Each structure stands twice: as structure tokens, then as C-alpha cells.
Amino acid sequence: MRVLVLGTGGREHALARALHRDPSVTALHCAPGNPGTAEVAVNHAIDMLNPTGVVELAQRLAVDLVVVGPEAPLVAGVGDALREAGLACFGPDKAAARIEGSKAFAKEIMEAAGVPTARAHVCETLSQAEAALAEFSAPYVVKDDGLAAGKGVVVTNDLGEALKHAEACDRVVIEEYLDGPEVSLFALCDGQDAVPLVPAQDFKRAYDGGAGPNTGGMGAYTPLPWAPPGLVEEVMDTVVRPTVNELRRRETPYVGVLYAGLALTSRGVRVIEFNARFGDPETQVVLDRLATPLGGLLQACALGGLPADLELAWRPGAAVTVVVAAENYPASPAKGDVISGLDAANAVPDAYVLHAGTALNAEGELVSAGGRVLNVVGSGPDVASARAAAYEAASKVELRGSHHRSDIALLD
Ligand code: AMP
Ligand code: GLY
């Protein structure tokens, strides 16, 4: 099977590595990819947001499957264009990707499907926002309706700040605050059936102890030793399958990975958000544990015919990833700084480095090119040993001004 992966981050490097391990994958391409994906695939510098350009590349490379990493190409209609051209795509059409692209649409689907989520109001005027905030009381949760690259959500006790965010956005979703730990669960879907991956936890805030601004994610681990038994089946029954069924009923079948961001509240599991793609950096740890060959799985989703009773195989033990972020991430990350120490990091037993925001400069040196620069992954028989491997490897990385959290996967 010939495969093209779209995207450029640590998630795409993890996808490329997992596909490279699959003996049925005979050719692997990435677009645009990064210096890490170039180690296992051929990179192509195209604009992944241009559906016509993606179709042309996929046809020229004669690929059997296109795997879309980030949400932006999905929302831009890349999945639609590929399927119209008769190409297999892992990733939903534009219509189904609205489950991530519009928070109001996600709420509408959840209501229709009876999926447990925070009570919410969609507000378009300041007076509507005022009324909704009064109804829910603090802490206030105000979400920009559209895609906002992780910056659209404000959670605050300050009513003034909540109103200011509502005013700054055209349309917001204001909802009740959900307490309790967060879990990310990914399900592979073929439009009709869905198979869960193992749950993971992400660390969204920039600094230790959950301080600082929200980020795309500063680290992740799997499995979750504290998760209640039966959690995955419960989420499949109450969240994933009803959502997949509702989208199919609306004739916008969901093909790709449905990412359920969940809160385990004192009143039960609630959906915080859906994403139409693999989570980043959770994917890096989930795929580290996956033993079933990935290419065949994603192709079964894209073509239909995913066996509903499919049992995936997992390597025992745990994986932890620590994000090495650029100076001033997330506000205004520094770029172009030389990265060194990767050979030493990769030499740490049970650890390796994924490239997220890296590039080669004119001199051929590896430099930072994004906010989240590297994802250092460690594995081991349990979370503590995986964590130790990840941090030992992270300590070998040299990048001026970089920072990483020191409490990723630190369990009580
Ligand atoms: P989202 O973009 O919807 O994932 O929100 C980003 C982050 O904001 C989530 O990971 C949560 O930490 C937080 N958040 C979002 N919605 C809520 C909510 N209703 N209650 C508490 N925290 C929330
Ligand atoms: N790690 C959070 C996300 O991918 O949205």
C-alpha cells in the first residue's frame, strides 16, 4: 500500500513512524512533512490547504490512501476533493469535520444523539452572553464558535473577562463548567462502525501545576492507571457510537478519527469537545503502544468495512511524551534557533525524539520552526519508568530559550 500523510507536526511524525513499521506500507510520503518525517518518508512541499493540489499530488504518487493529520485541510474540503477523485482518504468530509470546526454544530449533534455534554447556549449578542453567564455562574466557560487554534476558549472566574471574550468573537458558546480529570479518547471510524484506541491524558497549560496559558498540549501519557474500569466501553456506547450514527443519519458519514475530549465529572462522563483528527501530542503516546499495523486499519476506515468487533493489539506498558517548546511559546515562539543533542537523546534507552516544529536552515542545520519544537517520547513497563526515560532524553536536547513542563505524567 502506498500512503500519503498530510501535515507537519509531531503527530504526523508519529503517524509516519507507525506507518513505516507496517509491512503492508510499501511507499510512504508526507506533505509538507518535517525533517523528522523525512527520515522515514519522502516529503513534498505543497500547500496542504489547497484541495486541488493535494489531489494532484496523490494522483501523481499513485497512493492508495491519504491520511489527513490536522483539521485545517479537512475543514478546507481536502477529504471531499480526494473522494470525488476516487481516492481513499482517512479523514472526514468538510460537512462531518464541522464537528470540530463549529462548536455550535457539535452541540447540535450531541443534543440530537443524546450525548452527555455541558449545558450550553449559543450567543450572538452581548445581552445573550450576559444572560447565559448569569445562568451558569463562575467559573465561566466562553468558547469562540469557529476554529481558533486552541486559543478560542476562556475559562475564568472574572465576569468582565468572560464578557470581553464573548464581545471579541462573532458567535460564542457559553457553557457550564465541568470539573474532574480530562481524558482524550480516539476512535477510528469508517462511517458506520468505530474502534477505540487506548485513552490518554494531555497537559494543556504551559507551565507546571497547570499554570499559565492554554497551549496545544505540553505532554501526554497512556495508559491512565486511575481511569475507572469500563470507561472506554462506556464512552463508545454513550458518546462515539451515537455520534457516528447521528452523522450517518444526516448523510454526512464520519470517516476518520473521532477525538472525544472528555471530563470525568462527579456526575459522570461529559464531552468537552470533539475534534476531527488525532490529538497532538496524545497520538504520539497512543501510537507508541499500538501493535496492530496502522496502515491496514486506516485503510479499512477509508474504504469502509472496519470490523466492528475488531480487537486491536497493544504493547504492554506505558508511554510518556514531553513537549520541548520554543522560547516564548505560546505567546510568540522564537524561530530559527539551532537544535542539538538529538543523537544523545535518541541514544537514551526506551526513548526517541519526534520532530514537531523543526526545519533545516540554509546551512543545513536543524532549527526550531514552530512553538512546539520536539516531542520526546519514553516508554517502559509503567508510567513512572516511561516518564523517567522521556525526561532523561529531554535533558539531552539543547535549544536556546526552550522550556518544557517537569510534571508531565507525574501521578499522585
Ligand atoms: P476545548 O477547545 O473545547 O478543548 O477547550 C480547551 C480547554 O478548556 C479544555 O481542554 C478544558 O481544559 C477547558 N474547558 C473547555 N470547556 C470546559 C468546560 N465546560 N468546563 C471546564 N473546562 C473546560
Ligand atoms: N492535544 C489537544 C489537541 O490535539 O487538540
Side-chain angles (χ1 to χ4, degrees):
M1 172 188 357
R2 301 170 61 84
V3 184
L4 168 62
V5 177
L6 293 187
T8 182
R11 165 185 53 210
E12 286 73 26
H13 191 185
L15 284 164
R17 269 179 70 113
L19 288 164
H20 182 69
R21 284 201 299 269
D22 180 342
S24 77
V25 174
T26 51
L28 187 56
H29 297 271
C30 286
N34 64 36
T37 65
E39 291 165 11
V40 290
V42 182
N43 284 349
H44 302 269
I46 62 154
D47 174 8
M48 65 177 160
L49 300 184
N50 172 7
T52 314
V54 173
V55 169
E56 276 169 15
L57 179 66
Q59 284 172 332
R60 183 161 64 76
L61 299 173
V63 294
D64 303 294
L65 174 67
V66 179
V67 178
V68 183
E71 65 277 17
L74 298 169
V75 171
V78 162
D80 307 61
L82 287 165
R83 277 183 275 269
E84 270 158 34
L87 292 156
C89 174
F90 180 84
D93 275 357
K94 199 174 175 170
R98 284 180 72 216
I99 196 107
E100 171 165 2
S102 164
K103 300 215 184 258
F105 177 73
K107 286 289 182 193
E108 180 192 320
I109 296 289
M110 285 189 267
E111 188 171 346
V115 170
T117 184
R119 287 181 299 125
H121 293 296
V122 180
C123 304
E124 289 179 350
T125 67
L126 196 58
S127 61
Q128 286 173 346
E130 277 166 351
L133 291 166
E135 178 183 333
F136 294 132
S137 73
Y140 302 105
V141 182
V142 182
K143 302 185 173 187
D144 190 342
D145 179 45
L147 281 184
K151 292 191 181 145
V153 179
V154 166
V155 181
T156 177
N157 282 312
D158 180 342
L159 182 60
E161 193 190 339
L163 279 169
K164 208 170 113 207
H165 187 54
E167 224 179 337
C169 308
D170 279 347
R171 204 153 93 116
V172 290
V173 173
I174 291 180
E175 64 182 33
E176 81 183 297
Y177 178 79
L178 301 173
D179 61 353
E182 288 181 34
V183 171
S184 301
L185 185 72
F186 307 149
L188 305 179
C189 307
D190 72 350
Q192 181 150 359
D193 291 307
V195 173
L197 303 185
V198 286
Q201 192 174 47
D202 177 23
F203 291 73
K204 287 238 165 69
R205 300 279 181 162
Y207 311 126
D208 283 5
N214 252 323
T215 70
M218 294 298 290
Y221 68 101
T222 188
L224 310 177
W226 48 266
L231 175 68
V232 171
E233 261 327 299
E234 181 187 346
V235 174
M236 291 304 289
D237 288 344
T238 62
V239 173
V240 173
R241 290 192 189 100
T243 301
V244 169
N245 288 342
E246 177 61 20
L247 288 165
R248 186 163 48 110
R249 196 186 65 73
R250 292 175 183 228
E251 296 177 2
T252 53
Y254 194 90
V255 174
V257 56
L258 183 65
Y259 165 150
L262 307 160
L264 309 193
T265 76
S266 47
R267 292 182 298 129
V269 174
R270 299 282 184 278
V271 174
I272 295 180
E273 64 163 350
F274 281 126
N275 291 314
R277 50 162 177 91
F278 283 104
D280 187 348
E282 300 96 306
T283 299
Q284 287 81 317
V285 288
V286 170
L287 293 184
D288 183 83
R289 306 322 294 159
L290 181 67
T292 304
L294 183 65
L297 268 180
L298 302 187
Q299 190 180 40
C301 292
L303 299 177
L306 185 72
D309 55 357
L310 183 65
E311 291 273 339
L312 300 182
W314 298 95
R315 297 161 61 201
V320 171
T321 188
V322 175
V323 171
V324 177
E327 182 180 37
N328 282 329
Y329 175 76
S332 57
K335 293 188 183 160
D337 288 308
V338 173
I339 303 163
S340 57
L342 293 200
D343 287 345
N346 279 316
V348 170
D350 300 318
Y352 56 92
V353 180
L354 297 171
H355 292 239
T358 70
L360 296 177
N361 67 13
E363 287 78 47
E365 297 166 310
L366 187 70
V367 294
S368 57
R372 293 187 291 174
V373 181
L374 300 167
N375 309 146
V376 184
V377 182
S379 63
D382 52 29
V383 172
S385 53
R387 179 172 191 277
Y391 274 108
E392 190 190 341
S395 75
K396 312 282 184 201
V397 172
E398 287 170 45
L399 169 62
R400 189 199 60 80
S402 68
H403 61 101
H404 62 260
R405 278 182 65 158
S406 67
D407 63 348
I408 302 300
L410 186 59
L411 304 180
D412 304 329

